[in-house]
Amino acid sequence: MGHHCCSKQKVKRGLWSPEEDEKLITQVTTHGHGCWSSVPRLAGLQRCGKSCRLRWINYLRPDLKRGSFSAEEEQIIIDVHRILGNRWAQIAKHLPGRTDNEVKNFWNSCIKKKMMAQGLDPRTHNLISSHYITTSNNTACNLHQQPTSVLSVSSHEMRVASMDPFITLPPPAPPSHEFMTLPPIYEEYQNPNLASMDLASTRSSMENSRAISSSMNPSGFGFLDGNCMFVEPFEHPIQEEMQPPQQDQYQQQKVCEVEFDKTTELKGGQDMDVSFNTSNFDLEFVDSTLMPCGMYCNESSMDQLSWDC
DNA sequence: AATATCGTCAACCGCGGGTCC
DNA sequence: AGGACCCGCGGTTGACGATAT
């Protein structure tokens, strides 16, 4: 059974032979593909136009980069996926020479598993963890199941947000004095009307808060500010990031202390009705420590937590 | 050595959106 | 308005090679 575009012909399916490839290449390079439904007839192929298009786009195009993905490409995929979700075609646009199919396959066969091994939900990039932060009554921010992605924005994500014409940052949300639930960026872009928790429109007031943090930071972090996003990226080897923690690493894990010794604000925003207090946090985390506002940090990024505002 | 299982990836399928008539 | 057609996308399938038993 073929597609309607070529239902009158008998069409071949399955893997392409070198001869078929040659015919398709010749046709497309000399005449262009034009209307794909007419390509098989012009090229003398017993294929449907859709199959020809797919073969060309995913395999025969001269500008394709073959071979395995580099660590940098892998990181880009992770970063963009954090924002866009399974929009493979959009993600592939950030990887010259790669196709959506290739990216999708790589995600499903490789990255997904690495993330799960790290205890991260590959869909949301959040920790799959039972280690929730418990807050006391005087905390004005609902940190239960806080998504990591809200404030966890890498340098590439910033580029994505600034370059991709299909991404628009959410409009400022009105200040709320209610509990604030921070939706994952994934969901924000899936549903632009969703809450649109705008970190830019907020500023955090962390008074005398202390947090103890440990290793495994999935990314840098940053803030949304009105219509722009700025970040404090930090570098970390991808190999290191993707490896599941070893037992002995746990044991050798150093404990760091982060101290917020003054009121800290984010620029350009409205008041953020959040305050933190050391006593509000359950710091019993194994893989990582969820910082106020859903920030993750690790030892190497400690200094970034004392940003100037 | 034979068989089972797993992982990868090319290809297919169905759907939605856009355009044309 | 609505049907036909085309394109592009994401999810899924299945072939095949690698690895484990």
Side-chain angles (χ1 to χ4, degrees):
Chain A
M1 185 181 74
H3 296 108
H4 57 79
C5 64
C6 45
S7 54
K8 292 167 190 164
Q9 313 166 19
K10 48 179 181 183
V11 293
K12 186 171 178 282
R13 294 172 56 190
L15 296 180
W16 282 63
S17 68
E19 293 74 26
E20 287 178 306
D21 281 347
E22 192 55 47
K23 285 180 179 177
L24 184 57
I25 290 170
T26 303
Q27 172 63 29
V28 176
T29 52
T30 56
H31 302 101
H33 61 75
C35 173
W36 280 110
S37 58
S38 61
V39 164
R41 179 175 47 83
L42 296 170
L45 289 163
Q46 305 288 313
R47 295 273 181 175
C48 85
K50 204 169 179 175
S51 180
C52 292
R53 175 186 162 271
L54 205 66
R55 183 63 178 171
W56 176 258
I57 288 173
N58 285 341
Y59 202 81
L60 298 177
R61 247 168 52 197
D63 58 327
L64 286 181
K65 185 197 289 184
R66 311 298 301 179
S68 45
F69 283 80
S70 68
E72 187 189 355
E73 287 177 311
E74 182 173 331
Q75 187 58 56
I76 289 170
I77 293 171
I78 293 169
D79 289 344
V80 182
H81 185 276
R82 191 200 308 272
I83 294 174
L84 297 175
N86 294 359
R87 296 189 198 169
W88 307 117
Q90 290 298 314
I91 295 171
K93 285 178 182 171
H94 296 274
L95 299 159
R98 302 295 189 182
T99 68
D100 54 349
N101 209 33
E102 213 175 357
V103 171
K104 178 173 58 183
N105 283 334
F106 183 56
W107 176 271
N108 286 327
S109 66
C110 184
I111 301 180
K112 206 171 170 180
K113 285 166 190 166
K114 285 184 182 176
M115 290 185 74
M116 289 172 84
Q118 274 191 292
L120 295 170
D121 182 344
R123 193 183 68 88
T124 63
H125 295 246
N126 295 340
L127 262 184
I128 306 168
S129 173
S130 56
H131 303 285
Y132 297 135
I133 286 179
T134 58
T135 60
S136 64
N137 289 339
N138 65 346
T139 305
C141 177
N142 180 10
L143 292 170
H144 188 68
Q145 286 184 287
Q146 194 82 277
T148 66
S149 51
V150 174
L151 276 172
S152 179
V153 182
S154 76
S155 56
H156 190 80
E157 285 173 310
M158 178 180 70
R159 273 180 276 145
V160 169
S162 61
M163 291 166 58
D164 193 316
F166 300 99
I167 298 177
T168 52
L169 294 175
S176 167
H177 295 274
E178 301 300 323
F179 280 1
M180 198 161 53
T181 302
L182 313 183
I185 284 180
Y186 172 81
E187 290 178 14
E188 274 187 37
Y189 287 108
Q190 290 293 95
N191 179 5
N193 297 324
L194 179 72
S196 294
M197 157 56 197
D198 181 23
L199 299 169
S201 70
T202 63
R203 65 186 186 187
S204 96
S205 170
M206 306 175 184
E207 297 175 0
N208 301 320
S209 44
R210 281 164 67 92
I212 300 174
S213 178
S214 57
S215 67
M216 298 294 289
N217 185 353
S219 76
F221 58 88
F223 310 99
L224 299 169
D225 182 15
N227 289 324
C228 68
M229 183 186 288
F230 55 96
V231 298
E232 297 260 7
F234 88 97
E235 301 298 328
H236 53 89
I238 180 66
Q239 292 85 354
E240 215 175 281
E241 178 184 304
M242 299 310 292
Q243 281 172 358
Q246 304 296 314
Q247 188 59 35
D248 56 351
Q249 284 178 337
Y250 275 162
Q251 290 162 357
Q252 294 168 10
Q253 210 167 64
K254 294 178 185 173
V255 173
C256 303
E257 294 194 7
V258 184
E259 193 158 347
F260 299 101
D261 57 359
K262 60 175 186 245
T263 297
T264 308
E265 299 175 348
L266 303 182
K267 286 178 184 172
Q270 302 158 10
D271 288 340
M272 180 179 180
D273 305 304
V274 182
S275 64
F276 300 95
N277 189 298
T278 313
S279 60
N280 294 340
F281 299 98
D282 175 2
L283 295 169
E284 290 176 8
F285 290 89
V286 178
D287 287 349
S288 57
T289 296
L290 191 57
M291 298 299 292
C293 286
M295 255 187 289
Y296 275 80
C297 64
N298 71 356
E299 187 180 357
S300 64
S301 64
M302 284 303 98
D303 56 329
Q304 295 175 1
L305 292 175
S306 53
W307 62 88
D308 293 323
C309 289

